[in-house]
Amino acid sequence: MPSRVTYRRFSPFQGDVASWALGIGLGLTVAMQLTTMRKSDIDTLYAAIGSLSRLAALVGTYFALVGIFMIARIPWVEKSIGHDRLVVWHRKLGPWSLYLIGSHVLFITVSYAGFSQISLVSQFWQILNDFGWMWFALAGFFLMIFAGITSYKKARATMSYETWWILHVFTYGAMAASFMHQIVNGQMFIGHPLNRAYWIALYVAMAFCVIWWRIVKPAVLSIRHRLVIDKVVKEGPGVYSIIFKGRRLRELGAEGGQFFNWRFNTKGHRLLAHPYSLSAAPTDEYMRISVKNLGDHSRATEYLRVGTKVWFEGPYGAFTAGRTKSKRAVLIGGGVGITPIRALLDEFKDSASVDVIFRAPREEDLILREELDYIASKSHGTVRMHYMAGPRKNFPMDAPFLGSLIPDIADAEIYICGPIALIETVVAAAKELGVPASRVHHEEFVYHAE
Amino acid sequence: MKKTLLIATGTIGGLGAVLSVTPPQLGQTNVIALGNQGVDTQAAPVQESAQPTPQSTATTKASTPKAAKTVAATPIPKQSTAASTSGSINGKFTGTSVDIKYGFLQVQITVTNGKITDAQAVKTPDARNDRWTLKAVPVLRAQTIAVNGNTLDNVSGASYTSYGWYTSLTSAMVKAGLL
């Protein structure tokens, strides 16, 4: 078997450094309050409630900042931790941020109302008017609540990606609107230039990361690489491949398994970028994605014209061949989730023994089948295809099923992309079969969107 | 798991490092939250106005021009001058009017034989925002008389008023020659 490793090795080191930095930041944030608190801040019940509410505000805001850093596409964090995991953490952290900030709003009012012995409502009204920038802070809080509610699983399911995205982007506005009320009124900031400097630095760093990595860099790359739609090909029911042509694409360093956010320069599509994985390893001139009619936007890809200018952000994601430690790989794709698997196969085919499992509800959903078969036939037996079209009960994808299909699965590196149900089943099966969690990599194609 | 551990050690490390340098002062009540840190930041303009006090002018006239410059430039001899004469200071001294975001605060002190015997807010923010000030002023007044100076505790929930009081009081004390 020829061994030609073309992909970059994956290293968790930078992710560990980032985690540690996150911890130090949290420590410094809590220290800001602890070092500026006096006896009068804890010696009465209402003072203690006020102090707790300030702590909640600090930690909640810190979590919100960290949440934004997580999805700011900082390259070394992306490469080391992986975009899907970052998004999962971002989603887990978000609600806590909202709960903590919400309790700050409530308990600071309780504390002041207790001091003044007036009703909560009139106290709330007075706080809004008596302190600087409070109306902005309230507006920011509402924006944050909207973003939170719309990201809640059940609410998220009722709206289009577009609506959700716009509401979610308002979180940046929320961060900006609530900033001044902290700096101007915050007990830990008044007369304390060092605390103020630290807090401002955090916000500046956040703004820099977002502006640089989510706006400036993608714009520069899009201009430099001049990507246009070269071809649109129908692959199966509702599935289209879009082939992009550009120049010097190798400089992007994209690998199979990664994705870009694509923004088509057509009427009605300029505002929103959409995440799609590459469905083949990129060449210096061409990149390809394969898209199913999922959202409002992907339905419209049918009408995309050849020659349309494309703006892109990326490459993102750590669903890459570089995470492999063994020469044995099992790639599992569910439905249109086969696209990054197909691209990964380009990376793996010359350096590892690969089994590809392709799950789909119907025969006609087995898209890209011809080229998958072609790769397998040219691989001298190192790539084996397993097509499984039909109802779930025929192909349970559980431990006995996978174990009998691929007896040496315990030695393999497993990559899964597909609907969440498939991922959960396979992850559980892999655990049962003795595959360590560090060797199971998965990407939910519905979620690399934030 | 490993990352959770890293985050936890980072948090404890960061917190511990800060607390070891600046330990929390929860046990103390009359530690100067504003007096300490306010001096080098917000009270800076007050120190500028500290130059032409009656005492230093008197010293300047008595000494040679060259010596006068040295005296004006170094605060230490000026303070000793003030200290030596403070026993004879009597009268009312009004501090600068300080912008506290929702109005102005101005403090007037009554000095008898070099001691602050009273402190009054001659100007306070009016209308909708005065509640915070009304709450804090009596506390600050009592503190000022008690400590006979400007080493005051920040009044919880009235940070602006505390800051304004401190700044105005400091300038009044400078005028009186107490600083």
Side-chain angles (χ1 to χ4, degrees), chain A residues 16 19-20 23-24 28 35 38-39 116 126 129-130 184 190-191 193, chain B residues 2-3 6-7 10-11 18 22 25-26 37 41 128-129 131-132 159-160:
Chain A
D16 292 348
S19 308
W20 196 56
I24 291 176
L28 294 180
T35 53
R38 299 289 174 264
K39 198 176 171 220
S116 330
Q126 278 182 355
N129 293 306
D130 289 354
V184 162
I190 288 175
Chain B
K2 185 184 167 198
K3 289 201 169 57
L6 281 164
I7 292 170
T11 309
V18 176
T22 49
Q25 295 159 330
L26 293 171
Q37 290 130 353
T41 54
R128 64 190 176 105
N129 290 311
R131 210 171 55 81
W132 304 100
S159 304
Y160 283 141

PDB file of all heavy atoms in Angstrom, chain A residues 16 19-20 23-24 28 35 38-39 116 126 129-130 184 190-191 193, chain B residues 2-3 6-7 10-11 18 22 25-26 37 41 128-129 131-132 159-160:
ATOM      1  N   ASP A  16      -5.508  23.200  24.398  1.00  0.00           N
ATOM      2  CA  ASP A  16      -5.262  23.145  25.840  1.00  0.00           C
ATOM      3  C   ASP A  16      -4.842  24.511  26.361  1.00  0.00           C
ATOM      4  O   ASP A  16      -5.272  24.946  27.422  1.00  0.00           O
ATOM      5  CB  ASP A  16      -4.178  22.099  26.147  1.00  0.00           C
ATOM      6  CG  ASP A  16      -4.671  20.684  25.871  1.00  0.00           C
ATOM      7  OD1 ASP A  16      -5.890  20.517  25.681  1.00  0.00           O
ATOM      8  OD2 ASP A  16      -3.839  19.763  25.840  1.00  0.00           O
ATOM      9  N   SER A  19      -7.888  26.628  26.616  1.00  0.00           N
ATOM     10  CA  SER A  19      -8.704  26.285  27.783  1.00  0.00           C
ATOM     11  C   SER A  19      -8.117  26.886  29.053  1.00  0.00           C
ATOM     12  O   SER A  19      -8.829  27.403  29.911  1.00  0.00           O
ATOM     13  CB  SER A  19      -8.781  24.771  27.966  1.00  0.00           C
ATOM     14  OG  SER A  19      -9.181  24.166  26.791  1.00  0.00           O
ATOM     15  N   TRP A  20      -6.803  26.811  29.138  1.00  0.00           N
ATOM     16  CA  TRP A  20      -6.125  27.320  30.320  1.00  0.00           C
ATOM     17  C   TRP A  20      -6.297  28.836  30.412  1.00  0.00           C
ATOM     18  O   TRP A  20      -6.603  29.389  31.476  1.00  0.00           O
ATOM     19  CB  TRP A  20      -4.649  26.931  30.253  1.00  0.00           C
ATOM     20  CG  TRP A  20      -3.928  27.058  31.539  1.00  0.00           C
ATOM     21  CD1 TRP A  20      -4.264  26.463  32.713  1.00  0.00           C
ATOM     22  CD2 TRP A  20      -2.763  27.835  31.775  1.00  0.00           C
ATOM     23  NE1 TRP A  20      -3.357  26.826  33.685  1.00  0.00           N
ATOM     24  CE2 TRP A  20      -2.425  27.667  33.149  1.00  0.00           C
ATOM     25  CE3 TRP A  20      -1.950  28.650  30.972  1.00  0.00           C
ATOM     26  CZ2 TRP A  20      -1.320  28.286  33.726  1.00  0.00           C
ATOM     27  CZ3 TRP A  20      -0.846  29.263  31.556  1.00  0.00           C
ATOM     28  CH2 TRP A  20      -0.543  29.085  32.907  1.00  0.00           C
ATOM     29  N   GLY A  23      -9.601  29.722  31.691  1.00  0.00           N
ATOM     30  CA  GLY A  23      -9.653  29.579  33.148  1.00  0.00           C
ATOM     31  C   GLY A  23      -9.039  30.782  33.845  1.00  0.00           C
ATOM     32  O   GLY A  23      -9.628  31.334  34.775  1.00  0.00           O
ATOM     33  N   ILE A  24      -7.865  31.211  33.382  1.00  0.00           N
ATOM     34  CA  ILE A  24      -7.196  32.361  34.004  1.00  0.00           C
ATOM     35  C   ILE A  24      -8.087  33.599  33.910  1.00  0.00           C
ATOM     36  O   ILE A  24      -8.265  34.342  34.875  1.00  0.00           O
ATOM     37  CB  ILE A  24      -5.831  32.626  33.330  1.00  0.00           C
ATOM     38  CG1 ILE A  24      -4.869  31.484  33.678  1.00  0.00           C
ATOM     39  CG2 ILE A  24      -5.257  33.961  33.775  1.00  0.00           C
ATOM     40  CD1 ILE A  24      -3.526  31.574  32.999  1.00  0.00           C
ATOM     41  N   LEU A  28      -9.403  35.945  36.938  1.00  0.00           N
ATOM     42  CA  LEU A  28      -9.171  37.392  37.004  1.00  0.00           C
ATOM     43  C   LEU A  28     -10.488  38.149  37.132  1.00  0.00           C
ATOM     44  O   LEU A  28     -10.598  39.125  37.868  1.00  0.00           O
ATOM     45  CB  LEU A  28      -8.410  37.869  35.761  1.00  0.00           C
ATOM     46  CG  LEU A  28      -6.979  37.375  35.590  1.00  0.00           C
ATOM     47  CD1 LEU A  28      -6.365  37.937  34.322  1.00  0.00           C
ATOM     48  CD2 LEU A  28      -6.120  37.763  36.791  1.00  0.00           C
ATOM     49  N   THR A  35     -11.464  41.635  45.134  1.00  0.00           N
ATOM     50  CA  THR A  35     -10.487  42.581  45.662  1.00  0.00           C
ATOM     51  C   THR A  35     -11.083  43.959  45.919  1.00  0.00           C
ATOM     52  O   THR A  35     -10.506  44.751  46.644  1.00  0.00           O
ATOM     53  CB  THR A  35      -9.295  42.742  44.699  1.00  0.00           C
ATOM     54  OG1 THR A  35      -9.800  43.052  43.414  1.00  0.00           O
ATOM     55  CG2 THR A  35      -8.479  41.478  44.640  1.00  0.00           C
ATOM     56  N   ARG A  38     -15.927  45.392  50.060  1.00  0.00           N
ATOM     57  CA  ARG A  38     -15.667  45.819  51.431  1.00  0.00           C
ATOM     58  C   ARG A  38     -16.672  45.145  52.354  1.00  0.00           C
ATOM     59  O   ARG A  38     -17.627  44.543  51.902  1.00  0.00           O
ATOM     60  CB  ARG A  38     -15.804  47.343  51.539  1.00  0.00           C
ATOM     61  CG  ARG A  38     -14.835  48.110  50.675  1.00  0.00           C
ATOM     62  CD  ARG A  38     -13.402  47.995  51.214  1.00  0.00           C
ATOM     63  NE  ARG A  38     -12.476  48.628  50.292  1.00  0.00           N
ATOM     64  CZ  ARG A  38     -11.782  47.975  49.363  1.00  0.00           C
ATOM     65  NH1 ARG A  38     -11.911  46.677  49.238  1.00  0.00           N
ATOM     66  NH2 ARG A  38     -10.954  48.623  48.574  1.00  0.00           N
ATOM     67  N   LYS A  39     -16.454  45.338  53.621  1.00  0.00           N
ATOM     68  CA  LYS A  39     -17.346  44.716  54.599  1.00  0.00           C
ATOM     69  C   LYS A  39     -18.787  45.153  54.360  1.00  0.00           C
ATOM     70  O   LYS A  39     -19.725  44.365  54.502  1.00  0.00           O
ATOM     71  CB  LYS A  39     -16.901  45.083  56.015  1.00  0.00           C
ATOM     72  CG  LYS A  39     -17.488  44.133  57.044  1.00  0.00           C
ATOM     73  CD  LYS A  39     -16.962  44.441  58.440  1.00  0.00           C
ATOM     74  CE  LYS A  39     -17.727  43.638  59.474  1.00  0.00           C
ATOM     75  NZ  LYS A  39     -17.998  44.410  60.675  1.00  0.00           N
ATOM     76  N   SER A 116     -33.863  50.672  49.942  1.00  0.00           N
ATOM     77  CA  SER A 116     -34.716  51.856  49.942  1.00  0.00           C
ATOM     78  C   SER A 116     -36.120  51.560  50.452  1.00  0.00           C
ATOM     79  O   SER A 116     -36.897  52.488  50.622  1.00  0.00           O
ATOM     80  CB  SER A 116     -34.820  52.434  48.533  1.00  0.00           C
ATOM     81  OG  SER A 116     -33.669  52.174  47.804  1.00  0.00           O
ATOM     82  N   GLN A 126     -36.388  53.314  38.788  1.00  0.00           N
ATOM     83  CA  GLN A 126     -35.405  54.290  39.262  1.00  0.00           C
ATOM     84  C   GLN A 126     -33.994  53.912  38.835  1.00  0.00           C
ATOM     85  O   GLN A 126     -33.206  54.777  38.444  1.00  0.00           O
ATOM     86  CB  GLN A 126     -35.469  54.388  40.786  1.00  0.00           C
ATOM     87  CG  GLN A 126     -36.584  55.310  41.225  1.00  0.00           C
ATOM     88  CD  GLN A 126     -36.630  55.469  42.717  1.00  0.00           C
ATOM     89  OE1 GLN A 126     -35.889  54.816  43.454  1.00  0.00           O
ATOM     90  NE2 GLN A 126     -37.504  56.337  43.174  1.00  0.00           N
ATOM     91  N   ASN A 129     -33.308  54.978  35.407  1.00  0.00           N
ATOM     92  CA  ASN A 129     -33.143  56.414  35.203  1.00  0.00           C
ATOM     93  C   ASN A 129     -31.993  57.010  35.990  1.00  0.00           C
ATOM     94  O   ASN A 129     -31.417  58.006  35.578  1.00  0.00           O
ATOM     95  CB  ASN A 129     -34.445  57.132  35.552  1.00  0.00           C
ATOM     96  CG  ASN A 129     -35.538  56.780  34.567  1.00  0.00           C
ATOM     97  OD1 ASN A 129     -35.367  56.932  33.365  1.00  0.00           O
ATOM     98  ND2 ASN A 129     -36.634  56.254  35.067  1.00  0.00           N
ATOM     99  N   ASP A 130     -31.670  56.402  37.135  1.00  0.00           N
ATOM    100  CA  ASP A 130     -30.665  57.011  38.002  1.00  0.00           C
ATOM    101  C   ASP A 130     -29.235  56.717  37.576  1.00  0.00           C
ATOM    102  O   ASP A 130     -28.331  57.488  37.858  1.00  0.00           O
ATOM    103  CB  ASP A 130     -30.858  56.526  39.442  1.00  0.00           C
ATOM    104  CG  ASP A 130     -32.103  57.127  40.060  1.00  0.00           C
ATOM    105  OD1 ASP A 130     -32.708  57.989  39.409  1.00  0.00           O
ATOM    106  OD2 ASP A 130     -32.461  56.739  41.185  1.00  0.00           O
ATOM    107  N   VAL A 184     -19.278  52.216  33.633  1.00  0.00           N
ATOM    108  CA  VAL A 184     -19.623  53.466  34.294  1.00  0.00           C
ATOM    109  C   VAL A 184     -20.153  53.233  35.710  1.00  0.00           C
ATOM    110  O   VAL A 184     -19.844  53.970  36.633  1.00  0.00           O
ATOM    111  CB  VAL A 184     -20.646  54.242  33.424  1.00  0.00           C
ATOM    112  CG1 VAL A 184     -21.351  55.293  34.232  1.00  0.00           C
ATOM    113  CG2 VAL A 184     -19.939  54.871  32.238  1.00  0.00           C
ATOM    114  N   ILE A 190     -15.187  51.443  39.412  1.00  0.00           N
ATOM    115  CA  ILE A 190     -15.108  52.851  39.808  1.00  0.00           C
ATOM    116  C   ILE A 190     -13.835  53.083  40.610  1.00  0.00           C
ATOM    117  O   ILE A 190     -13.575  52.425  41.607  1.00  0.00           O
ATOM    118  CB  ILE A 190     -16.370  53.255  40.597  1.00  0.00           C
ATOM    119  CG1 ILE A 190     -17.531  53.334  39.609  1.00  0.00           C
ATOM    120  CG2 ILE A 190     -16.173  54.573  41.317  1.00  0.00           C
ATOM    121  CD1 ILE A 190     -18.855  53.589  40.224  1.00  0.00           C
ATOM    122  N   GLY A 191     -13.043  54.023  40.129  1.00  0.00           N
ATOM    123  CA  GLY A 191     -11.792  54.332  40.801  1.00  0.00           C
ATOM    124  C   GLY A 191     -10.778  53.217  40.726  1.00  0.00           C
ATOM    125  O   GLY A 191      -9.868  53.150  41.530  1.00  0.00           O
ATOM    126  N   PRO A 193      -8.569  51.811  37.795  1.00  0.00           N
ATOM    127  CA  PRO A 193      -8.172  51.800  36.374  1.00  0.00           C
ATOM    128  C   PRO A 193      -7.705  50.433  35.881  1.00  0.00           C
ATOM    129  O   PRO A 193      -7.886  50.103  34.711  1.00  0.00           O
ATOM    130  CB  PRO A 193      -7.037  52.821  36.299  1.00  0.00           C
ATOM    131  CG  PRO A 193      -6.617  53.044  37.701  1.00  0.00           C
ATOM    132  CD  PRO A 193      -7.779  52.753  38.583  1.00  0.00           C
TER     133      PRO A 193
ATOM    134  N   LYS B   2      -9.684  16.619  30.347  1.00  0.00           N
ATOM    135  CA  LYS B   2      -8.396  17.285  30.506  1.00  0.00           C
ATOM    136  C   LYS B   2      -8.584  18.797  30.430  1.00  0.00           C
ATOM    137  O   LYS B   2      -7.981  19.558  31.172  1.00  0.00           O
ATOM    138  CB  LYS B   2      -7.473  16.805  29.388  1.00  0.00           C
ATOM    139  CG  LYS B   2      -6.054  17.301  29.479  1.00  0.00           C
ATOM    140  CD  LYS B   2      -5.272  16.823  28.254  1.00  0.00           C
ATOM    141  CE  LYS B   2      -3.950  17.519  28.118  1.00  0.00           C
ATOM    142  NZ  LYS B   2      -3.431  17.374  26.752  1.00  0.00           N
ATOM    143  N   LYS B   3      -9.468  19.203  29.514  1.00  0.00           N
ATOM    144  CA  LYS B   3      -9.697  20.642  29.331  1.00  0.00           C
ATOM    145  C   LYS B   3     -10.394  21.235  30.551  1.00  0.00           C
ATOM    146  O   LYS B   3     -10.089  22.350  30.959  1.00  0.00           O
ATOM    147  CB  LYS B   3     -10.513  20.891  28.063  1.00  0.00           C
ATOM    148  CG  LYS B   3      -9.686  20.607  26.831  1.00  0.00           C
ATOM    149  CD  LYS B   3     -10.239  21.298  25.604  1.00  0.00           C
ATOM    150  CE  LYS B   3      -9.246  21.223  24.461  1.00  0.00           C
ATOM    151  NZ  LYS B   3      -8.866  19.843  24.101  1.00  0.00           N
ATOM    152  N   LEU B   6      -7.801  21.856  32.991  1.00  0.00           N
ATOM    153  CA  LEU B   6      -6.990  23.028  32.632  1.00  0.00           C
ATOM    154  C   LEU B   6      -7.732  24.320  32.968  1.00  0.00           C
ATOM    155  O   LEU B   6      -7.158  25.272  33.488  1.00  0.00           O
ATOM    156  CB  LEU B   6      -6.658  22.990  31.140  1.00  0.00           C
ATOM    157  CG  LEU B   6      -5.527  22.050  30.741  1.00  0.00           C
ATOM    158  CD1 LEU B   6      -5.547  21.786  29.256  1.00  0.00           C
ATOM    159  CD2 LEU B   6      -4.189  22.639  31.158  1.00  0.00           C
ATOM    160  N   ILE B   7      -9.037  24.331  32.668  1.00  0.00           N
ATOM    161  CA  ILE B   7      -9.838  25.523  32.949  1.00  0.00           C
ATOM    162  C   ILE B   7      -9.857  25.769  34.461  1.00  0.00           C
ATOM    163  O   ILE B   7      -9.665  26.893  34.933  1.00  0.00           O
ATOM    164  CB  ILE B   7     -11.271  25.363  32.389  1.00  0.00           C
ATOM    165  CG1 ILE B   7     -11.233  25.357  30.860  1.00  0.00           C
ATOM    166  CG2 ILE B   7     -12.177  26.493  32.882  1.00  0.00           C
ATOM    167  CD1 ILE B   7     -12.541  24.972  30.202  1.00  0.00           C
ATOM    168  N   GLY B  10      -6.513  26.997  35.702  1.00  0.00           N
ATOM    169  CA  GLY B  10      -6.350  28.384  35.256  1.00  0.00           C
ATOM    170  C   GLY B  10      -7.128  29.335  36.141  1.00  0.00           C
ATOM    171  O   GLY B  10      -6.610  30.367  36.572  1.00  0.00           O
ATOM    172  N   THR B  11      -8.369  28.977  36.434  1.00  0.00           N
ATOM    173  CA  THR B  11      -9.223  29.839  37.254  1.00  0.00           C
ATOM    174  C   THR B  11      -8.627  30.032  38.644  1.00  0.00           C
ATOM    175  O   THR B  11      -8.482  31.156  39.122  1.00  0.00           O
ATOM    176  CB  THR B  11     -10.625  29.218  37.389  1.00  0.00           C
ATOM    177  OG1 THR B  11     -11.102  28.896  36.090  1.00  0.00           O
ATOM    178  CG2 THR B  11     -11.585  30.174  38.060  1.00  0.00           C
ATOM    179  N   VAL B  18      -4.003  37.007  41.836  1.00  0.00           N
ATOM    180  CA  VAL B  18      -4.486  38.362  42.125  1.00  0.00           C
ATOM    181  C   VAL B  18      -4.687  38.550  43.628  1.00  0.00           C
ATOM    182  O   VAL B  18      -4.282  39.549  44.212  1.00  0.00           O
ATOM    183  CB  VAL B  18      -5.802  38.655  41.365  1.00  0.00           C
ATOM    184  CG1 VAL B  18      -6.345  40.009  41.758  1.00  0.00           C
ATOM    185  CG2 VAL B  18      -5.574  38.601  39.870  1.00  0.00           C
ATOM    186  N   THR B  22      -3.176  41.459  45.912  1.00  0.00           N
ATOM    187  CA  THR B  22      -4.098  42.383  46.580  1.00  0.00           C
ATOM    188  C   THR B  22      -5.145  41.578  47.339  1.00  0.00           C
ATOM    189  O   THR B  22      -6.169  41.221  46.777  1.00  0.00           O
ATOM    190  CB  THR B  22      -4.813  43.287  45.566  1.00  0.00           C
ATOM    191  OG1 THR B  22      -5.317  42.448  44.533  1.00  0.00           O
ATOM    192  CG2 THR B  22      -3.925  44.341  44.993  1.00  0.00           C
ATOM    193  N   GLN B  25     -10.319  42.841  51.287  1.00  0.00           N
ATOM    194  CA  GLN B  25     -10.324  43.606  52.531  1.00  0.00           C
ATOM    195  C   GLN B  25     -11.708  43.599  53.153  1.00  0.00           C
ATOM    196  O   GLN B  25     -12.223  44.633  53.553  1.00  0.00           O
ATOM    197  CB  GLN B  25      -9.850  45.031  52.226  1.00  0.00           C
ATOM    198  CG  GLN B  25      -8.411  45.010  51.761  1.00  0.00           C
ATOM    199  CD  GLN B  25      -8.025  46.237  50.980  1.00  0.00           C
ATOM    200  OE1 GLN B  25      -8.841  46.841  50.312  1.00  0.00           O
ATOM    201  NE2 GLN B  25      -6.779  46.610  51.081  1.00  0.00           N
ATOM    202  N   LEU B  26     -12.271  42.400  53.223  1.00  0.00           N
ATOM    203  CA  LEU B  26     -13.646  42.282  53.690  1.00  0.00           C
ATOM    204  C   LEU B  26     -13.784  42.565  55.182  1.00  0.00           C
ATOM    205  O   LEU B  26     -14.852  42.916  55.653  1.00  0.00           O
ATOM    206  CB  LEU B  26     -14.182  40.880  53.381  1.00  0.00           C
ATOM    207  CG  LEU B  26     -14.350  40.600  51.897  1.00  0.00           C
ATOM    208  CD1 LEU B  26     -14.662  39.144  51.659  1.00  0.00           C
ATOM    209  CD2 LEU B  26     -15.432  41.475  51.310  1.00  0.00           C
ATOM    210  N   GLN B  37      -7.587  54.725  45.709  1.00  0.00           N
ATOM    211  CA  GLN B  37      -7.411  54.608  44.270  1.00  0.00           C
ATOM    212  C   GLN B  37      -7.815  55.876  43.545  1.00  0.00           C
ATOM    213  O   GLN B  37      -7.361  56.149  42.463  1.00  0.00           O
ATOM    214  CB  GLN B  37      -8.237  53.428  43.758  1.00  0.00           C
ATOM    215  CG  GLN B  37      -7.658  52.111  44.211  1.00  0.00           C
ATOM    216  CD  GLN B  37      -8.699  51.218  44.830  1.00  0.00           C
ATOM    217  OE1 GLN B  37      -9.841  51.637  45.029  1.00  0.00           O
ATOM    218  NE2 GLN B  37      -8.329  50.004  45.156  1.00  0.00           N
ATOM    219  N   THR B  41      -6.187  58.637  40.060  1.00  0.00           N
ATOM    220  CA  THR B  41      -6.928  58.679  38.800  1.00  0.00           C
ATOM    221  C   THR B  41      -7.803  59.916  38.690  1.00  0.00           C
ATOM    222  O   THR B  41      -7.449  60.896  38.058  1.00  0.00           O
ATOM    223  CB  THR B  41      -7.814  57.436  38.639  1.00  0.00           C
ATOM    224  OG1 THR B  41      -8.621  57.326  39.799  1.00  0.00           O
ATOM    225  CG2 THR B  41      -6.987  56.202  38.463  1.00  0.00           C
ATOM    226  N   ARG B 128     -34.749  64.130  39.582  1.00  0.00           N
ATOM    227  CA  ARG B 128     -34.997  62.693  39.668  1.00  0.00           C
ATOM    228  C   ARG B 128     -33.858  61.864  40.258  1.00  0.00           C
ATOM    229  O   ARG B 128     -34.080  60.766  40.733  1.00  0.00           O
ATOM    230  CB  ARG B 128     -35.341  62.161  38.271  1.00  0.00           C
ATOM    231  CG  ARG B 128     -34.208  62.298  37.302  1.00  0.00           C
ATOM    232  CD  ARG B 128     -34.639  61.992  35.893  1.00  0.00           C
ATOM    233  NE  ARG B 128     -33.531  62.240  34.975  1.00  0.00           N
ATOM    234  CZ  ARG B 128     -32.821  61.291  34.425  1.00  0.00           C
ATOM    235  NH1 ARG B 128     -33.101  60.047  34.631  1.00  0.00           N
ATOM    236  NH2 ARG B 128     -31.822  61.586  33.630  1.00  0.00           N
ATOM    237  N   ASN B 129     -32.633  62.394  40.213  1.00  0.00           N
ATOM    238  CA  ASN B 129     -31.524  61.540  40.621  1.00  0.00           C
ATOM    239  C   ASN B 129     -31.060  61.751  42.050  1.00  0.00           C
ATOM    240  O   ASN B 129     -30.104  61.131  42.483  1.00  0.00           O
ATOM    241  CB  ASN B 129     -30.344  61.769  39.688  1.00  0.00           C
ATOM    242  CG  ASN B 129     -30.623  61.218  38.319  1.00  0.00           C
ATOM    243  OD1 ASN B 129     -31.049  60.079  38.194  1.00  0.00           O
ATOM    244  ND2 ASN B 129     -30.417  62.024  37.305  1.00  0.00           N
ATOM    245  N   ARG B 131     -31.994  60.954  44.939  1.00  0.00           N
ATOM    246  CA  ARG B 131     -32.206  59.979  45.995  1.00  0.00           C
ATOM    247  C   ARG B 131     -30.901  59.324  46.457  1.00  0.00           C
ATOM    248  O   ARG B 131     -30.660  59.114  47.635  1.00  0.00           O
ATOM    249  CB  ARG B 131     -33.177  58.906  45.517  1.00  0.00           C
ATOM    250  CG  ARG B 131     -34.012  58.290  46.602  1.00  0.00           C
ATOM    251  CD  ARG B 131     -35.074  57.430  45.988  1.00  0.00           C
ATOM    252  NE  ARG B 131     -34.450  56.453  45.097  1.00  0.00           N
ATOM    253  CZ  ARG B 131     -33.905  55.326  45.532  1.00  0.00           C
ATOM    254  NH1 ARG B 131     -33.895  55.054  46.799  1.00  0.00           N
ATOM    255  NH2 ARG B 131     -33.355  54.493  44.690  1.00  0.00           N
ATOM    256  N   TRP B 132     -30.088  59.008  45.478  1.00  0.00           N
ATOM    257  CA  TRP B 132     -28.822  58.350  45.797  1.00  0.00           C
ATOM    258  C   TRP B 132     -27.942  59.273  46.612  1.00  0.00           C
ATOM    259  O   TRP B 132     -27.284  58.845  47.550  1.00  0.00           O
ATOM    260  CB  TRP B 132     -28.121  57.940  44.502  1.00  0.00           C
ATOM    261  CG  TRP B 132     -29.011  57.087  43.691  1.00  0.00           C
ATOM    262  CD1 TRP B 132     -29.768  57.459  42.622  1.00  0.00           C
ATOM    263  CD2 TRP B 132     -29.310  55.708  43.925  1.00  0.00           C
ATOM    264  NE1 TRP B 132     -30.500  56.397  42.180  1.00  0.00           N
ATOM    265  CE2 TRP B 132     -30.243  55.316  42.947  1.00  0.00           C
ATOM    266  CE3 TRP B 132     -28.869  54.776  44.862  1.00  0.00           C
ATOM    267  CZ2 TRP B 132     -30.751  54.029  42.890  1.00  0.00           C
ATOM    268  CZ3 TRP B 132     -29.365  53.500  44.789  1.00  0.00           C
ATOM    269  CH2 TRP B 132     -30.301  53.136  43.812  1.00  0.00           C
ATOM    270  N   SER B 159     -21.764  55.269  44.335  1.00  0.00           N
ATOM    271  CA  SER B 159     -20.366  55.427  43.940  1.00  0.00           C
ATOM    272  C   SER B 159     -20.084  56.816  43.390  1.00  0.00           C
ATOM    273  O   SER B 159     -19.044  57.403  43.670  1.00  0.00           O
ATOM    274  CB  SER B 159     -20.012  54.382  42.894  1.00  0.00           C
ATOM    275  OG  SER B 159     -20.280  53.109  43.396  1.00  0.00           O
ATOM    276  N   TYR B 160     -21.024  57.358  42.623  1.00  0.00           N
ATOM    277  CA  TYR B 160     -20.807  58.685  42.039  1.00  0.00           C
ATOM    278  C   TYR B 160     -20.738  59.752  43.112  1.00  0.00           C
ATOM    279  O   TYR B 160     -19.869  60.617  43.101  1.00  0.00           O
ATOM    280  CB  TYR B 160     -21.947  59.021  41.077  1.00  0.00           C
ATOM    281  CG  TYR B 160     -21.836  58.331  39.772  1.00  0.00           C
ATOM    282  CD1 TYR B 160     -22.952  57.823  39.130  1.00  0.00           C
ATOM    283  CD2 TYR B 160     -20.597  58.176  39.174  1.00  0.00           C
ATOM    284  CE1 TYR B 160     -22.844  57.177  37.931  1.00  0.00           C
ATOM    285  CE2 TYR B 160     -20.478  57.535  37.981  1.00  0.00           C
ATOM    286  CZ  TYR B 160     -21.602  57.026  37.351  1.00  0.00           C
ATOM    287  OH  TYR B 160     -21.483  56.392  36.160  1.00  0.00           O
TER     288      TYR B 160
END
